Amino acid sequence: MQNRKSTAIRRQQIVDIIRSIISSKGIEHVTISEIAKKIGTTKGAIYRHFKSKRDILSLLIDNIEETLMEAVDNALVEKDPIQNLKNILLAQLTLAKNRRETSFVVIMGALQFGDPFIRKKILKLIQKYLKRIEKLILNAIELGLLKKDVTPKMSAIVFMGLIQSTITVWSYKNFNFVPEKVHSQLWDIYRKGIGIKQAQETTHQEKTKRK
């Protein structure tokens, strides 16, 4: 039992190191030698936990998927889909600030890895995330909070892009930002982009609270 626990801890440590390497140096620097150097162990010790670089990246993607989906689930606390979108945006900015979490940066970096299996797995994760956002936007359209000519799929891509680009920029500045302030500015841009009027947004939130 203790051995299993130690293995899980070591594997998670390796995943965290890979995130750091991809974020700071790029996917090309993710090597067994670099990982072993960062942890302070031997290459043989790494191979005891993973058979190849593909195995390492596969676990990394699973770990990122769990983190992203958990952040989305925890943010869905309202009946209002627009408010839930705002919650997700703030949750992911806060996660980036507090945990130096750069999931979107790591995903884009790992996509550069030429392995078809890894690329397919990443694309599947991105599609899963976008579907969750797209569903909220569709719900907002059905409730009359957005115009019917809004394209849910493209709006979801823009939403993800805002988060990815913002976190990428701040990752180079040691995440020295205030999530609430950045959130307010980003949401204002996104709100206007998909046609949510601030007055309409406030009115619907008040109605939802009364229910």
Side-chain angles (χ1 to χ4, degrees):
M1 189 70 172
Q2 183 62 38
N3 186 49
R4 286 184 180 180
K5 183 178 180 181
S6 298
T7 298
I9 291 173
R10 175 62 80 184
R11 284 169 70 89
Q12 183 59 51
Q13 185 182 18
I14 292 171
V15 165
D16 291 340
I17 288 295
I18 296 170
R19 283 176 179 262
S20 175
I21 294 172
I22 293 177
S23 298
S24 60
K25 297 183 178 181
I27 187 69
E28 66 274 11
H29 290 278
V30 177
T31 64
I32 300 299
S33 295
E34 183 69 14
I35 295 168
K37 178 182 176 182
K38 290 281 186 180
I39 294 178
T41 187
T42 64
K43 291 194 290 184
I46 303 297
Y47 280 120
R48 280 201 292 272
H49 298 282
F50 298 97
K51 294 179 181 179
S52 64
K53 187 173 178 177
R54 171 193 274 190
D55 286 346
I56 295 174
L57 289 176
S58 181
L59 180 63
L60 170 65
I61 296 163
D62 289 339
N63 187 269
I64 289 174
E65 178 176 348
E66 182 180 347
T67 301
L68 280 177
M69 294 306 119
E70 182 180 7
V72 171
D73 289 339
N74 290 341
L76 300 178
V77 296
E78 305 285 346
K79 294 180 180 179
D80 182 350
I82 298 298
Q83 183 60 47
N84 281 330
L85 282 172
K86 290 180 68 175
N87 292 345
I88 292 171
L89 180 59
L90 179 58
Q92 299 209 244
L93 291 172
T94 302
L95 190 65
K97 172 70 174 181
N98 294 341
R99 292 176 48 186
R100 300 298 190 265
E101 179 62 63
T102 56
S103 294
F104 288 125
V105 179
V106 173
I107 288 172
M108 294 303 114
L111 261 178
Q112 297 174 32
F113 188 55
D115 190 309
F117 172 80
I118 294 299
R119 291 177 65 84
K120 185 176 181 180
K121 191 164 186 174
I122 292 172
L123 288 173
K124 187 176 179 181
L125 165 56
I126 292 173
Q127 289 168 355
K128 182 178 180 180
Y129 179 83
L130 289 175
K131 283 290 183 183
R132 298 291 296 274
I133 304 303
E134 188 177 339
K135 185 177 179 180
L136 289 172
I137 295 169
L138 277 168
N139 189 206
I141 294 173
E142 291 168 357
L143 291 171
L145 298 174
L146 292 175
K147 294 180 180 179
K148 291 184 178 181
D149 61 356
V150 170
T151 306
K153 186 173 183 179
M154 187 55 65
S155 298
I157 291 172
V158 171
F159 183 85
M160 177 179 170
L162 275 175
I163 298 172
Q164 179 194 341
S165 57
T166 301
I167 292 176
T168 299
V169 170
W170 286 109
S171 69
Y172 290 112
K173 298 181 180 181
N174 200 30
F175 296 92
N176 185 27
F177 70 98
V178 179
E180 291 78 10
K181 183 177 180 180
V182 174
H183 172 261
S184 177
Q185 295 170 339
L186 285 182
W187 180 253
D188 194 48
I189 293 170
Y190 188 71
R191 174 180 64 79
K192 292 174 181 176
I194 62 175
I196 305 172
K197 293 181 180 179
Q198 194 165 20
Q200 182 184 31
E201 181 184 347
T202 303
T203 299
H204 184 76
Q205 289 173 4
E206 290 174 350
K207 287 182 179 178
T208 302
K209 287 179 181 178
R210 284 199 293 269
K211 290 180 181 179

